[in-house]
Amino acid sequence: MQLNAAPLIYIAIFVGVLMLVEGLYLTIFGKSISLNNRVNRRLALLEKGGGREEVLAQLRKEMSQHLNSRGIPLYSMLAVKAQKANIAFSPKALIGIMFLVSIFAYVGLTLGTTASTPIRAGIAVLMGVGGVYTWVNKKAKKRMSLMEEQLPDAVELMVRSLRVGHPFNNAINIVAKEVPDPLGTEFGMISDEAAYGGNIPDSLKAMAERMDMQDLRFLAVAVSIQQTSGGNLAEILEGLAKVVRARFKLFRRVRAITAEAKWSGMFLSAFPIGALVMINLLQPHYYDEVQKSAAFIPACLIVGAFLVFNVIFMRMMVNIKV
């Protein structure tokens, strides 16, 4: 039996593209950009000798550059994800990386496959753009998930700080020092902006809109109402922390309940493609006779459309809003 290794080569090249992008990111920005560090990025930059104003300017630039570049052709589909992931690469650098990894993919396809030049070029571009998008999307999901998990603890830390007599600005600063990324750097920016005369409720609202996170909107509204009408902020934030933690537990419960349906949907969506890959691996000439039929291309397009509809429908079925 003759095996066709081309599908495995395509998969290996795509994985190589993802690893190349991650390697470039860590090489250029170092460990401070990682979300696994105990010391958040803002503190790491300050420890390297950067001034407070300089670090604030750098972080604000990183956190706003992607949404400000949505006018770049084809970049709008990536801008929102890159903003939520807080990718330190500039939009131009991301586009350049797409071009670089596309060349990498093209070289790999040239060395590993016998496909024609136009096909190799098209697949290389798809791998370059798709690889960067997949990498950014993964970073965004991880960062948002960590932020949702950290927020109740951060609010409770502010409550304890307020109850021992610290002003709210100091409570924000304590969160900025004690909480790791991603929330530590975000609150650190708010603390720095307040030190230079910024309004904390406005900064919280801006962060909530930038992250598109409902729990952060609750926090911003609670602080804004307390500053305009008064009240015990510690009690307000304690109640908010309980609500946020209860919502987070509910999210986890919904994810657990829908996990089986999600995996079933993923399996049903991926099985036809996996079966096609395995058939081509085990029997490369299995479809040779069928390809000569005039209905082969229309049938492939119809099957592809059904697969896309299946993925969309499965996603709608398991995407439960809480």
Side-chain angles (χ1 to χ4, degrees):
M1 184 186 341
Q2 182 182 3
L3 295 177
N4 183 10
L8 295 179
I9 293 174
Y10 292 142
I11 295 173
I13 293 174
F14 186 73
V15 173
V17 165
L18 296 177
M19 294 177 64
L20 177 61
V21 177
E22 180 70 16
L24 288 171
Y25 197 55
L26 293 177
T27 300
I28 295 174
F29 296 103
K31 280 190 172 183
S32 67
I33 205 69
S34 175
L35 296 178
N36 298 323
N37 290 339
R38 177 60 191 171
V39 179
N40 61 56
R41 176 164 168 76
R42 170 178 167 271
L43 294 180
L45 292 175
L46 290 173
E47 287 178 359
K48 290 180 180 179
R52 190 174 183 180
E53 187 174 356
E54 179 185 349
V55 170
L56 175 61
Q58 179 181 346
L59 293 175
R60 290 181 70 176
K61 179 182 177 182
E62 290 177 358
M63 291 181 179
S64 61
Q65 59 186 347
H66 297 289
L67 288 183
N68 293 337
S69 302
R70 284 179 293 182
I72 299 176
L74 300 179
Y75 190 76
S76 58
M77 64 178 183
L78 190 64
V80 175
K81 295 289 185 182
Q83 182 68 44
K84 291 182 178 180
N86 192 31
I87 300 298
F89 282 134
S90 67
K92 291 182 180 179
L94 270 181
I95 294 174
I97 289 172
M98 288 181 186
F99 180 73
L100 176 65
V101 296
S102 296
I103 294 176
F104 170 81
Y106 180 79
V107 172
L109 291 170
T110 301
L111 296 176
T113 66
T114 58
S116 61
T117 300
I119 293 177
R120 290 201 306 269
I123 294 176
V125 171
L126 289 176
M127 284 188 175
V129 176
V132 172
Y133 182 85
T134 301
W135 176 76
V136 170
N137 186 52
K138 181 180 177 182
K139 290 281 186 184
K141 287 184 177 180
K142 181 179 180 181
R143 188 168 186 268
M144 294 299 294
S145 177
L146 282 173
M147 190 172 290
E148 291 173 353
E149 189 172 352
Q150 289 175 332
L151 185 59
D153 295 332
V155 175
E156 289 177 351
L157 184 59
M158 285 190 284
V159 170
R160 291 193 293 270
S161 178
L162 291 170
R163 283 182 171 166
V164 299
H166 291 161
F168 187 61
N169 289 15
N170 284 8
I172 293 287
N173 193 35
I174 290 173
V175 172
K177 291 180 179 179
E178 298 296 331
V179 177
D181 275 335
L183 205 58
T185 295
E186 292 282 352
F187 273 86
M189 288 181 58
I190 294 175
S191 176
D192 291 340
E193 290 172 353
Y196 289 110
N199 184 271
I200 290 182
D202 291 341
S203 299
L204 286 170
K205 289 178 184 177
M207 180 176 69
E209 294 303 322
R210 188 174 67 247
M211 294 294 102
D212 190 22
M213 189 172 167
Q214 192 63 37
D215 292 337
L216 282 174
R217 292 191 180 99
F218 293 157
L219 175 61
V221 170
V223 174
S224 179
I225 291 175
Q226 190 276 335
Q227 291 200 352
T228 55
S229 61
N232 191 328
L233 184 57
E235 290 184 2
I236 295 173
L237 294 183
E238 183 181 20
L240 177 62
K242 292 179 180 178
V243 171
V244 173
R245 195 176 295 280
R247 277 168 51 86
F248 185 71
K249 289 181 179 178
L250 182 59
F251 288 148
R252 287 285 182 90
R253 185 176 180 184
V254 169
R255 288 174 188 170
I257 293 173
T258 59
E260 182 180 357
K262 287 183 178 179
W263 280 103
S264 298
M266 291 172 60
F267 175 79
L268 293 174
S269 301
F271 179 77
I273 299 175
L276 179 63
V277 171
M278 291 303 299
I279 289 173
N280 283 325
L281 281 173
L282 299 175
Q283 190 66 29
H285 304 290
Y286 186 81
Y287 292 105
D288 285 355
E289 294 296 327
V290 183
Q291 290 177 0
K292 299 176 183 179
S293 172
F296 179 73
I297 298 299
C300 288
L301 294 176
I302 293 173
V303 171
F306 275 120
L307 285 175
V308 172
F309 290 146
N310 174 67
V311 171
I312 295 173
F313 186 75
M314 287 290 182
R315 190 174 182 84
M316 290 172 59
M317 290 286 289
V318 299
N319 187 23
I320 299 176
K321 301 293 183 181
V322 179

